[in-house]
Amino acid sequence: MKKTIILATTALFLFTGCLGPADGKEEWTALIFPDKQNSKRSKKLAVYKTLEECREGSKNELSKLGLSDRGDYKCGLNCEYHDGMKVDICEKLVQ
């Protein structure tokens, strides 16, 4: 029984290490949508260290552009540009 618990714990640590970024760093990319009804049209704004900074930066940019009422934003975690698809792929997207 002890052997099974030790093996399961070791496997958990190994798999958990493979899921996140190699250096443990989080980067949040701000994506602005001028029209919240059209999610295909977006503008990559900036990359931030925290989710909260991304949210604030996105809201400020929408306000500056006069799009607070009709625009939208998303913050993407650890996004990387995919050449073949010509789009940023993120681990997750949140508002």
Side-chain angles (χ1 to χ4, degrees):
M1 183 68 162
K2 270 188 182 180
K3 204 176 197 181
T4 304
I5 293 172
I6 292 171
L7 184 60
T9 304
T10 303
L12 179 65
F13 282 117
L14 288 175
F15 288 125
T16 304
C18 294
L19 296 177
D23 58 4
K25 182 173 67 171
E26 286 188 358
E27 291 183 331
W28 292 92
T29 302
L31 302 167
I32 303 294
F33 301 92
D35 179 3
K36 60 179 135 191
Q37 303 300 328
N38 183 2
S39 62
K40 292 182 181 181
R41 192 168 153 238
S42 68
K43 172 188 173 187
K44 185 175 176 179
L45 177 61
V47 177
Y48 298 94
K49 292 180 182 179
T50 68
L51 175 57
E52 194 53 42
E53 288 176 1
C54 180
R55 287 175 171 154
E56 283 301 310
S58 299
K59 289 175 190 176
N60 289 340
E61 183 68 11
L62 284 171
S63 177
K64 188 168 82 174
L65 295 171
L67 299 171
S68 295
D69 293 335
R70 60 175 220 207
D72 202 4
Y73 73 91
K74 296 280 185 191
C75 292
L77 176 62
N78 298 328
C79 301
E80 289 188 23
Y81 187 75
H82 187 280
D83 284 323
M85 295 172 49
K86 306 288 186 217
V87 69
D88 282 299
I89 304 294
C90 307
E91 289 178 23
K92 69 178 176 179
L93 285 172
V94 295
Q95 188 167 20

